[in-house]
């Protein structure tokens, strides 16, 4: 989010598969939300 890009990961291997440019992405990308149970 802070680097103006979105990284895409393979959910089985956790390997990064793509990096996409994005102008100030927001939403579910915030670190605080990533650690909440149920998300």
């Amino acid at each position: 989010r802070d680097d103006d890009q979105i990284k895409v990961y393979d959910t089985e291997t956790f390997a990064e598969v793509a990096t996409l440019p994005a102008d100030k992405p927001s939403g579910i990308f915030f670190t605080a939300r990533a650690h909440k149970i149920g998300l």
Side-chain angles (χ1 to χ4, degrees):
R1 161 181 82 92
D2 296 330
D3 292 333
D4 291 334
Q5 57 183 255
I6 297 171
K7 294 187 178 193
V8 181
Y9 292 90
D10 182 307
T11 57
E12 286 190 28
T13 65
F14 299 107
E16 186 178 320
V17 295
T19 300
L20 307 170
D23 186 31
K24 302 295 180 207
S26 66
I28 62 169
F29 311 105
F30 291 105
T31 306
R33 290 191 66 193
H35 300 287
K36 289 185 179 179
I37 296 174
L39 292 179

